[in-house]
């Protein structure tokens, strides 16, 4: 009965947080989507078109795999860490649970650190900096998993779990430092698809842990994570230079797309009509002035 009662706390906190976000936050750095659509800064596109735009972008699926290898790893370790410490070090479940909780505790700051590093790198190296941080955090995460799995000393294993967790959370933050730039027309679709990589990764890694010895499973996980880090070399966001490909456009910041929607012709015609009306009015005023003279 206790665990059922405990769930009330996160439920209340989540509900309150949702209300605060709705009331106080903007949809994007440029403002709320509703206002941007009214002003013409953001085109009206259907949900299906938005999803299609995000789904056909190759970068979306690279980030999907990478998010599976950070948030998916986090979910897997949250489930597997207790039994791992019990079987490998002979701890009681209570002690193993307390140690395993350290992994989730790093969420307090580590994910934000990943986003912060991504932002700082963007300022110095543009998009290439964000991709570099993404690759580095994933490669370091994979390395830490290899080291953690080989530990035979409990104290060293706890330290390594902490370091490993920091890189896992940092990779999650750096992933979403790239997401808004992938397809500015379909930011929600890209964010949703990438986010779905987390549970997908958890399911896949969970099956690995179910079939293999925990130490072997950790090594398999580490190898997959490091491969996902190497995939960062293939990220090529339009208008931005990646690690190997692409070229930086003359853009200093993320901007909302304008004027490429289905009503562009009408907007152009309307602008031309207004311009002609202004010229006619000026000519009429000039004619009236000459007659008075």
């Amino acid at each position: 009965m206790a665990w059922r009662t405990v769930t009330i706390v996160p439920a209340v906190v989540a509900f309150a947080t949702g209300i605060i976000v709705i009331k106080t936050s903007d949809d994007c750095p440029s403002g709320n989507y509703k206002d941007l659509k009214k002003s013409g800064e953001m085109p009206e596109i259907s949900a299906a078109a938005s999803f299609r735009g995000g789904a056909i972008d190759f970068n979306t699926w690279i980030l999907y795999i990478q998010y599976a290898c950070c948030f998916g790893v986090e979910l897997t370790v949250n489930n597997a860490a207790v039994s791992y410490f019990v079987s490998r070090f002979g701890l009681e479940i209570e002690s193993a649970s307390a140690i395993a909780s350290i992994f989730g505790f790093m969420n307090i700051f580590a994910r934000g650190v990943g986003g912060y590093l991504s932002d700082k790198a963007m300022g110095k190296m543009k998009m290439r900096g964000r991709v570099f941080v993404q690759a580095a955090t994933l490669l370091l995460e994979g390395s830490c998993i290899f080291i953690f799995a080989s530990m035979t000393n409990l104290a060293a294993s706890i330290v390594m779990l902490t370091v490993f967790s920091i890189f896992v959370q940092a990779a999650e933050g750096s992933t979403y430092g790239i997401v808004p730039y992938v397809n500015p027309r379909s930011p929600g679709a890209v964010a949703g698809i990438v986010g779905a990589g987390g549970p997908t990764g958890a399911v896949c890694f969970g099956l690995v842990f179910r079939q293999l010895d925990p130490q072997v499973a950790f090594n398999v996980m580490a190898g997959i994570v490091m491969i996902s880090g190497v995939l960062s070399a293939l990220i090529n966001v339009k208008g931005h230079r990646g690690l190997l490909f692409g070229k930086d456009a003359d853009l200093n910041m993320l901007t909302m797309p304008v004027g490429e929607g289905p009503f562009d012709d009408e907007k152009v015609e309307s602008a031309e009509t207004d311009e002609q009306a202004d010229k006619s009015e000026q000519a009429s005023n000039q004619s009236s002035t000459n007659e008075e003279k």
Side-chain angles (χ1 to χ4, degrees):
M1 185 62 187
W3 69 268
R4 292 186 177 88
T5 307
V6 168
T7 58
I8 296 173
V9 176
V12 172
V13 172
F15 183 83
T17 303
I19 296 297
I20 293 171
V21 169
I22 291 171
K23 295 293 184 182
T24 63
S25 67
D26 295 329
D27 295 332
C28 69
S30 301
N32 290 317
Y33 291 152
K34 185 178 179 181
D35 298 330
L36 293 170
K37 289 175 181 177
K38 281 184 179 179
S39 65
E41 294 179 72
M42 184 176 184
E44 289 273 7
I45 57 175
S46 67
S50 175
F51 179 79
R52 184 168 59 251
I56 63 175
D57 196 307
F58 184 65
N59 298 301
T60 301
W61 297 104
I62 294 179
L63 293 173
Y64 172 90
I65 294 170
Q66 293 182 330
Y67 203 61
C69 291
C70 50
F71 188 53
V73 167
E74 178 185 352
L75 296 175
T76 304
V77 174
N78 285 337
N79 289 326
V82 175
S83 59
Y84 177 76
F85 279 105
V86 169
S87 63
R88 188 163 179 81
F89 298 103
L91 299 179
E92 297 293 329
I93 292 180
E94 292 79 5
S95 300
S97 298
I99 294 171
S101 67
I102 296 172
F103 192 87
F105 191 71
M106 294 300 104
N107 261 310
I108 291 177
F109 71 94
R111 187 181 292 215
V113 168
Y116 173 78
L117 292 175
S118 182
D119 289 343
K120 295 297 285 185
M122 177 74 171
K124 292 185 178 182
M125 300 169 62
K126 299 186 178 181
M127 180 56 66
R128 196 179 188 197
R130 288 193 186 276
V131 178
F132 176 80
V133 170
Q134 177 78 345
T137 53
L138 286 166
L139 290 172
L140 288 169
E141 175 193 337
S143 301
C144 287
I145 300 174
F146 274 126
I147 298 171
F148 172 74
S150 65
M151 289 290 178
T152 55
N153 178 272
L154 178 60
S157 183
I158 294 172
V159 172
M160 204 63 238
L161 178 72
T162 306
V163 177
F164 159 34
S165 177
I166 290 173
F167 286 120
V168 170
Q169 325 296 347
E172 294 167 13
S174 67
T175 299
Y176 273 87
I178 300 172
V179 163
Y181 295 86
V182 172
N183 191 327
R185 288 179 160 278
S186 308
V190 176
I193 293 171
V194 173
T200 304
V203 171
C204 294
F205 289 131
L207 291 173
V208 172
F209 273 82
R210 185 175 179 179
Q211 300 297 324
L212 301 175
D213 176 78
Q215 187 171 359
V216 176
F218 271 116
N219 286 328
V220 170
M221 176 191 285
I224 294 172
V225 170
M226 295 194 77
I227 291 171
S228 77
V230 174
L231 289 179
S232 296
L234 301 179
I235 294 177
N236 184 19
V237 179
K238 184 178 180 181
H240 300 277
R241 183 184 176 190
L243 293 179
L244 299 178
F245 311 105
K247 183 179 180 182
D248 284 320
D250 189 18
L251 297 172
N252 294 321
M253 59 186 295
L254 177 66
T255 56
M256 298 304 299
V258 233
E260 297 182 7
F263 303 107
D264 292 346
D265 293 338
E266 295 178 11
K267 290 178 183 176
V268 172
E269 290 174 4
S270 175
E272 290 175 348
T273 303
D274 291 342
E275 187 178 351
Q276 290 173 359
D278 290 339
K279 289 181 179 178
S280 299
E281 185 177 351
Q282 290 174 3
S284 176
N285 291 337
Q286 185 67 35
S287 176
S288 298
T289 304
N290 292 335
E291 287 178 2
E292 288 176 3
K293 290 181 179 180

